[in-house]
């Protein structure tokens, strides 16, 4: 799916090294049980484990929010809110008081203050709730939104629906149990009912048994999100807003949520060889089609290899070639989830990908990649973006502080 | 029955304390503070205290609110709450749940107040024992706090509750708790 590919390309050796390092970092950070949980990350974020546990918890307090660089839990809900029209700066302060308290309690498995279903809350299941804000909320707080905090430019492939776009506030709720996600979502919505109303909810899932040898696969069957920026330091300037960002955003990030509908009926008609050609990767391992059979997914692609007829082995329109970063900054952390909803009348599926990605600056990092995909990507035949939203992810809250405290100037 | 409730309450109190020690302390808005008029250091605290907001009530119900949480007596003698006052409302009462003659659970004033055993806890929750602030004189907005000066056998002790949206707590009362109605 709309994902940058950072393998391959002999022209940028330094960049290649970085990509290889990123792959290694991902293996260390996410997919092994020996991940150094917190030991080398004073940021408060931890690697998490591939397979969740009923009472597992991830830290709420820290420099960055959880739910970004930690291992994606298998179940997610992205909940976008519209602030009520009468919400002013004081109401925003009260909103963040409630959110901070509710999230800290829920992530600890304690339930929110008004929670009468504390047995549901007790299954913390690696719950993370990550708070991001839209431009209107930032302005209401009296701050200046960063220039990228706006709808993405229109892409030719977009068929965006209003019901999957925009929002003043977005909560990413992720856990290893779908019941935990549902309960947290319910408590968060109910807690904010006097201040904000639900604009849209996108519920998604990943393979609960993701792990070594079982990577994230989207519903096209494609290995997704293999190569990522390093989450242990070297690529921090790609992940987090830094010194040039306003104080309220420093150590925060940007969240792009795009809903990509998959046309599975026509995809069904495509044989595996043609699918691999469209993607540029092998379906079994996720490795580039230029890699030998059995090679790992993160094997570098040879974008210049040609077949006996002189055509590129990796098709000129292959998704991975078009998504391939042409500069080191064209990379971002993808944390995607599949969706599979009720087929509308006359259709056989309503399936796709909730493309969720974190980065310091979407316009600089994401837009060039998406522009290339819009111009030419064989996968566009079977996929259509139907939703798009951009949010500013708040930095983490230190002990004794509120989320959004710096934004409100408190 | 009462003993069992207290034991359960005490266990919950210990859990909350353990979590706090692990660095997952709740927001300071829900911890109680001793008032200036308290005769001693606060031997009574309200843990995880919260009150129903008026902005989550229908217009005709904005006259009173319930306060919930875990009362904890850290002293070495039993402590009784006999009443209280609050800047938020004209009257503060302790309420309990009883079954009326028709078999329906009803709220009524606990005339004897609430007694919290030495070193023990006393749970306030919707549909059971709770503190009522009545004849409210201002809106209680979600995310704000409400303070109550509790009149106790150990002097006046101020506790603070976080105001939250809550659709429950609209039980029937016997008699009507608001004298003005």
């Amino acid at each position: 799916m709309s994902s940058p590919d950072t393998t391959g390309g002999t022209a940028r050796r330094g960049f290649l090294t970085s990509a290889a390092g990123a792959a290694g970092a991902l293996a260390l950070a996410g997919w092994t049980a020996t991940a150094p949980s917190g030991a080398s990350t004073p940021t408060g974020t931890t690697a998490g484990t591939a397979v969740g546990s009923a009472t597992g918890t991830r830290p709420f307090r820290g420099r960055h929010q959880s739910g970004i660089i930690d291992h994606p839990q298998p179940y997610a809900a992205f909940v976008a809110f519209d602030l009520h029209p009468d919400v002013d700066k004081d109401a925003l302060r009260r909103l963040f008081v409630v959110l901070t308290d509710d999230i800290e309690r829920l992530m600890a498995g304690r339930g929110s203050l008004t929670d009468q279903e504390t047995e549901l809350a007790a299954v913390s299941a690696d719950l993370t709730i990550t708070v991001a804000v839209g431009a209107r909320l930032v302005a209401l707080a009296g701050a200046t939104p960063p220039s990228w905090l706006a709808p993405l430019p229109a892409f030719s492939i977009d068929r965006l629906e209003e019901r999957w776009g925009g929002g003043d506030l977005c909560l990413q709720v992720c856990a290893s149990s779908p019941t935990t996600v549902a309960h947290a979502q319910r408590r968060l919505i109910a807690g904010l009912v006097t201040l904000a109303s639900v604009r849209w909810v996108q519920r998604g899932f990943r393979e609960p048994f993701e792990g070594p040898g079982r990577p994230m696969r989207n519903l096209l069957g494609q290995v997704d999100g293999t190569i990522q920026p390093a989450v242990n330091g070297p690529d921090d300037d790609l992940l987090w807003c830094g010194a040039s960002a306003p104080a309220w955003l420093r150590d925060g990030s940007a969240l792009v949520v795009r809903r990509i509908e998959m046309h599975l009926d026509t995809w069904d008609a495509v044989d595996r060889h043609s699918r691999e050609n469209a993607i540029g990767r092998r379906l079994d391992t996720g490795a580039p089609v230029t890699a030998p059979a059995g090679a790992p997914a993160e094997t570098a692609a040879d974008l210049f290899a040609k077949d006996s007829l002189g055509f590129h082995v990796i098709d000129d329109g292959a998704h991975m070639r078009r998504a391939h970063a042409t500069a080191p900054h064209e990379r971002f952390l993808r944390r995607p989830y599949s969706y599979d909803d009720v087929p509308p009348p006359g259709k056989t599926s309503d399936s796709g990908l909730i493309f969720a990605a974190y980065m310091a600056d979407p316009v600089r990092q994401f837009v060039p990649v998406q522009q290339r995909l819009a111009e030419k990507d064989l996968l566009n035949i079977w996929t259509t973006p139907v939703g798009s939203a951009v949010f500013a992810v708040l930095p983490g809250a230190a002990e004794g502080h509120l989320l959004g405290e710096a934004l409100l100037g408190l | 029955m009462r003993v069992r409730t207290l034991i359960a309450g005490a266990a919950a109190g210990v859990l909350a304390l353990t979590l706090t020690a692990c660095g997952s302390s709740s927001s300071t808005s829900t911890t109680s503070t001793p008032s200036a008029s308290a005769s001693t250091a606060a031997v009574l605290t309200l843990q995880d205290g919260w009150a129903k907001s008026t902005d989550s009530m229908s217009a005709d119900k904005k006259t009173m609110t319930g306060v919930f949480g875990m009362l904890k007596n850290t002293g070495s003698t039993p402590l009784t709450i006999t009443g209280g006052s609050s800047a938020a409302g004209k009257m503060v009462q302790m309420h309990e749940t009883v079954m009326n003659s028709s078999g329906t659970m009803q709220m009524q004033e606990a005339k004897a107040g609430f007694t919290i055993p030495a070193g023990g806890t006393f749970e306030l929750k919707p549909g059971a024992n709770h503190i009522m602030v009545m004849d409210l004189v201002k809106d209680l907005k979600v995310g704000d706090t409400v303070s109550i000066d509790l009149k106790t056998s150990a002097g006046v002790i101020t506790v603070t509750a976080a105001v939250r949206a809550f659709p429950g707590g609209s039980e029937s009362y016997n008699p009507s708790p608001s004298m003005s109605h």
Side-chain angles (χ1 to χ4, degrees), chain A residues 253-344:
Chain A
S253 188
L255 169 63
V256 173
V257 184
R258 284 173 67 82
R259 188 173 181 88
I260 316 293
E261 186 180 325
M262 294 172 172
H263 311 301
L264 295 184
D265 280 341
T266 51
W267 183 248
D268 278 351
V270 182
D271 61 66
R272 282 176 70 93
H273 178 78
S274 301
R275 293 178 181 197
E276 290 184 335
N277 186 63
I279 297 164
R281 289 182 171 276
R282 293 175 180 275
L283 288 167
D284 57 355
T285 58
V289 291
T290 50
E298 55 270 22
T299 304
D302 184 353
L303 293 170
F304 301 96
K306 291 183 176 174
D307 62 19
S308 56
L309 296 173
F311 293 108
H312 280 136
V313 175
I314 295 175
D315 194 283
D316 288 345
H319 179 74
M320 79 105 70
R321 177 186 292 277
R322 301 298 298 169
H324 173 72
T326 61
H329 67 263
E330 288 179 358
R331 296 181 295 145
F332 34 86
L333 185 77
R334 287 155 292 153
R335 216 171 182 278
Y337 286 85
S338 295
Y339 71 85
D340 184 41
D341 292 343
V342 179

Side-chain angles (χ1 to χ4, degrees), chain A residues 143-205:
Chain A
T144 305
S147 56
W148 49 257
L149 187 54
L152 294 172
F155 299 104
S156 57
I157 52 173
D158 288 355
R159 298 292 180 269
L160 302 185
E161 298 173 25
E162 178 74 12
R163 61 180 173 141
W164 303 123
D168 299 326
L169 173 72
C170 182
L171 305 179
Q172 177 196 263
V173 183
C174 300
S176 299
S177 157
T179 308
T180 301
V181 171
H183 177 68
Q185 177 186 324
R186 173 62 202 157
R187 294 272 50 89
L188 291 163
I189 292 172
L192 297 182
V193 71
T194 61
L195 299 165
S197 53
V198 174
R199 181 182 176 92
W200 49 259
V201 176
Q202 301 192 47
R203 278 176 293 181
F205 56 88

Side-chain angles (χ1 to χ4, degrees), chain A residues 93-94 101 104-105 110, chain B residues 19 24-25 48 142 144 164:
Chain A
R93 176 191 61 79
R94 294 186 286 108
D101 188 48
E104 180 161 39
R105 289 170 187 276
R110 286 188 293 161
Chain B
L19 286 168
S24 298
S25 61
D48 294 344
V142 165
D144 275 337
R164 291 291 186 269

Side-chain angles (χ1 to χ4, degrees), chain A residues 204-254:
Chain A
F205 56 88
R206 298 166 63 113
E207 173 56 68
F209 305 108
E210 260 175 44
R214 203 174 287 113
M216 167 17 169
R217 285 181 187 273
N218 62 39
L219 294 179
L220 297 178
Q222 169 196 359
V223 175
D224 202 321
T226 312
I227 308 298
Q228 300 272 38
V231 297
N232 58 350
D235 290 328
D236 274 4
D237 60 333
L238 298 177
L239 298 173
W240 309 112
C241 300
S244 61
W248 64 267
L249 193 51
R250 227 162 280 159
D251 295 326
S253 188

Side-chain angles (χ1 to χ4, degrees), chain A residues 61 90-91 93-95 97-98 100-102 104-105 108 110 113-116 186-187 190-195 399-400 402, chain B residues 15-16 19-20 23-30 48-50 53 55-56 126 141-144 162-168:
Chain A
R61 298 291 178 182
D90 184 65
R93 176 191 61 79
R94 294 186 286 108
L95 179 143
V97 166
V98 174
T100 302
D101 188 48
D102 282 3
E104 180 161 39
R105 289 170 187 276
R110 286 188 293 161
L113 279 178
T114 61
D115 203 334
Q116 298 198 90
R186 173 62 202 157
R187 294 272 50 89
L192 297 182
V193 71
T194 61
L195 299 165
E399 198 71 50
L402 296 176
Chain B
L15 178 62
L19 286 168
T20 300
S24 298
S25 61
S26 60
S27 96
T28 52
S29 63
T30 59
D48 294 344
W50 63 278
S53 72
D55 54 14
S56 61
K141 293 179 178 173
V142 165
D144 275 337
V163 179
R164 291 291 186 269
F166 186 67

